[in-house]
Amino acid sequence: MSEQHLLHEVDCNIAIIRINKPKVLNALSLPLMADLATLLEQYDADDSINVILLSGNERAWAAGADIGDMATASSDEMRRRNQFAIWEQIKAIKKPIVAAVSGFALGGGCELMMHCDIIIASENALFGQPEINLGIIPGAGGTQRFTRAVGKATAMDVVLSGRFLSAKEALSYGLVSRVVPKEHWFEEALSVAKQVATKGPIALRAAKASVLNAQEMPLSKALSEERALFYDLFDTNDQTEGMNAFSEKRKPNFTGT
Ligand code: CAA
């Protein structure tokens, strides 16, 4: 696997992945996306990792799919590539992904961000689905997840005009979780990841799955799934430990069992 376009390291039980193509504002080429999906799957399967932190650099989280990859492609060629299979791999990651977003989060970059679970945005971040400027529309969920996040009125405004949202707007519309000072964007996201990483892995996976069900399922089905996950957790050592630790006024020591 060629990994230069992705840097990654482990800090305690957090996997930190950085998209690393600064010359093209972290444009998401097909090989980069394939390697990202593989890396995420590796960390998802690694019991020593509890949370994944995904980041770009200060100027760009990611300015979209690599336009060069698509410029001369036909419909048939795009269909044959089946690039959205990679996005399905990313969607299937079970562990929480925290996004540390600074600079541009556009097109496929915004779509990648929306596959993450907690989005920490620098006050300088800019968001958009500007595919309309290229004569196309978003293809990795940008018309759907974006609309579910911000509502139809704002989604139409952004998707049809190609305009960018500021971090302040993105927060007010519910596209991102928190906006932080630009000097500390990465540290703030790491701190959130560290806080989440202290929780029990089984409950974290259940919580992520259940919240995501709210986007995919009718309410009655999602509620019954939530109840099933809730009951299942009572057969885990982490539930016993969490409740014992509360009674004994100490921090829980979750083991993921
Ligand atoms: N693909 C390929 N290269 C890109 C890129 C992209 N998405 N975005 C930026 N780059 C490259 C530029 O070509 C430029 O390279 P050169 O120095 O070799 O010319 C370099 O990154 C720096 O970019 P700019 O000089 O344009 O920087 P700027 O500060 O003037 O503008 C920007 C920044 C507004 C983000 C502008 O680069 C831009 O509009 N980029 C494209 C954004 C976009 O349309 N994204 C959607 C892509 S399609 C998609 O994502 C489809 C999908 O849903 C799956």
Side-chain angles (χ1 to χ4, degrees):
M1 180 164 79
S2 139
E3 280 177 11
Q4 317 84 298
H5 42 211
L6 295 172
L7 306 176
H8 58 109
E9 63 185 300
V10 169
D11 180 350
C12 298
N13 58 353
I14 302 169
I16 302 172
I17 304 175
R18 289 183 173 86
I19 304 168
N20 183 42
K21 284 179 75 179
K23 285 190 185 143
V24 288
L25 305 182
N26 285 347
L28 302 168
S29 66
L30 292 174
L32 186 155
M33 287 301 292
D35 285 351
L36 177 60
T38 303
L39 196 52
L40 287 169
E41 284 179 339
Q42 282 169 5
Y43 282 126
D44 206 33
D46 181 342
D47 287 341
S48 69
I49 297 299
N50 210 12
V51 173
I52 299 164
L53 177 62
L54 183 56
S55 167
N57 56 50
E58 192 179 331
R59 188 162 174 227
W61 155 265
D66 192 320
I67 296 167
D69 277 352
M70 305 176 285
T72 59
S74 66
S75 297
D76 278 352
E77 161 68 11
M78 289 301 280
R79 283 199 180 88
R80 264 197 307 276
R81 280 184 195 174
N82 191 23
Q83 68 194 59
F84 298 119
I86 293 170
W87 291 83
E88 290 300 317
Q89 286 174 262
I90 296 174
K91 182 186 163 212
I93 300 299
K94 295 185 179 63
K95 288 179 185 167
I97 307 177
V98 176
V101 181
S102 176
F104 298 108
L106 305 175
C110 192
E111 289 165 318
L112 178 63
M113 182 192 86
M114 290 187 289
H115 280 67
C116 300
D117 304 306
I118 302 179
I119 301 167
I120 307 300
S122 164
E123 62 195 351
N124 79 355
L126 286 172
F127 308 87
Q129 296 289 163
E131 287 88 342
I132 203 80
N133 297 331
L134 302 169
I136 59 171
I137 66 167
T143 63
Q144 301 307 304
R145 289 195 181 85
F146 197 86
T147 306
R148 280 168 164 76
V150 306
K152 179 192 160 193
T154 304
M156 284 292 190
D157 178 14
V158 169
V159 172
L160 299 187
S161 73
R163 86 174 177 93
F164 299 165
L165 295 179
S166 67
K168 203 170 154 191
E169 285 176 291
L171 183 66
S172 73
Y173 296 135
L175 183 65
V176 303
S177 312
R178 305 186 199 179
V179 173
V180 297
K182 62 179 186 300
E183 299 79 17
H184 308 297
W185 64 279
F186 185 81
E187 290 73 19
E188 292 278 353
L190 182 57
S191 153
V192 171
K194 282 186 172 162
Q195 191 198 10
V196 175
T198 63
K199 315 301 178 194
I202 305 174
L204 280 178
R205 287 198 298 273
K208 169 169 174 165
S210 195
V211 173
L212 288 176
N213 282 345
Q215 295 200 307
E216 305 252 350
M217 292 178 182
L219 182 60
S220 55
K221 169 109 175 97
L223 284 172
S224 85
E225 292 284 325
E226 179 192 74
R227 210 159 296 156
L229 287 164
F230 175 80
Y231 288 142
D232 286 351
L233 289 166
F234 282 79
D235 275 347
T236 64
N237 292 323
D238 282 352
Q239 175 266 334
T240 309
E241 168 63 9
M243 295 194 181
N244 284 345
F246 176 79
S247 311
E248 294 160 15
K249 300 193 187 304
R250 61 174 174 80
K251 284 194 177 153
N253 177 25
F254 294 121
T255 55
T257 58

